Amino acid sequence: MTTDPSADGTATHADEALEGEAARVWNVLTDLYEAFLAGDRQRLEAHLDEGCTMWDSTIPALRTKADLQAGRGGGDNDPGYPSPVGLEASEPVVGLLADDAAWETHVLTARFPDPSLDEVLRCTSVLRRDGGGTWRVVHHHEELLTGPGRPAPSRRLADA
């Protein structure tokens, strides 16, 4: 899924080949990123369960949805650091644990106005489906793989 703002402020993306509930789970993440780029905080937060926990290696103080809503630990704390202008979510893997539980992993490329700030992150989420059938993120983890000051890792597994 590639999400880049268009000239009119909307977002465009190309969906991966997922079907059924797996596609609906993946849509939660892609719409969350589209909402972020559109500056639609209400839509973004609607995808997060009230008790959602978060781990982000680039924003260590961000731990809960309440932290996000209060602006604690986010990019809002450093007004000099730009926001991404494009997000590309790729390599999705979705697993259904039960009728109301799922997990997903993907790679997220964040593009900035200054390409030297571009980042690649590995992301994992756990989602629950409520009684009305809506999937919401209950835990989201982002780990910086490459970005400013962090080159691509070069370590390999033993015998790999």
Side-chain angles (χ1 to χ4, degrees), residues 39-125:
D40 189 341
R41 195 172 181 115
Q42 183 177 5
R43 187 170 118 213
L44 182 151
E45 291 179 6
H47 291 301
L48 306 175
D49 183 78
E50 285 305 313
C52 183
T53 57
M54 301 169 204
W55 296 99
D56 186 330
S57 65
T58 66
I59 311 171
L62 181 63
R63 300 293 173 100
T64 66
K65 182 177 180 179
D67 289 342
L68 178 70
Q69 291 171 325
R72 290 190 297 270
D76 297 348
N77 290 340
D78 185 356
Y81 202 85
S83 290
V85 294
L87 298 171
E88 179 183 340
S90 61
E91 303 177 42
V93 177
V94 176
L96 301 173
L97 301 171
D99 288 342
D100 66 347
W103 58 268
E104 69 77 34
T105 65
H106 64 277
V107 174
L108 180 66
T109 302
R111 307 241 181 255
F112 290 83
D114 175 354
S116 72
L117 298 177
D118 288 358
E119 300 172 340
V120 177
L121 303 107
R122 177 175 45 205
C123 303
T124 303
S125 299

